[in-house]
Amino acid sequence: MNASSLPPLGRCALCGHQRHLSPHRSVRDGLVRSLCTPCYSGASLREEAGHPVDWQQAVATSSDEELARWPEGKP
């Protein structure tokens, strides 16, 4: 794999690390986030399970009960 075939470098919208990024379109809110590979995978798995990707999405789309469990790491 050469440098021209790698996704562009940038700051991941979820973890904040400087990495190669790919666009992830949320099925929950339609927002496109630039995510690194680990966060892309995690976001996809969370959405498949019916959970929000990040705090902003949780606030916009989750119930009060789901938000109360967020700090515990329980979707």
Side-chain angles (χ1 to χ4, degrees):
M1 183 179 292
N2 61 34
S4 65
S5 65
L6 292 174
L9 279 172
R11 185 167 306 280
C12 177
L14 291 181
C15 71
H17 289 106
Q18 186 79 6
R19 296 188 175 155
H20 292 282
L21 304 175
S22 298
H24 178 273
R25 180 176 301 278
S26 173
V27 295
R28 193 169 178 132
D29 62 9
L31 183 65
V32 177
R33 294 169 178 82
S34 294
L35 304 179
C36 64
T37 301
C39 288
Y40 189 102
S41 177
S44 297
L45 291 172
R46 288 192 61 76
E47 286 196 322
E48 285 176 13
H51 305 301
V53 171
D54 59 14
W55 177 249
Q56 289 81 14
Q57 189 179 62
V59 169
T61 62
S62 297
S63 69
D64 289 342
E65 191 174 284
E66 290 171 318
L67 288 176
R69 290 192 310 260
W70 186 277
E72 301 167 6
K74 299 175 184 164

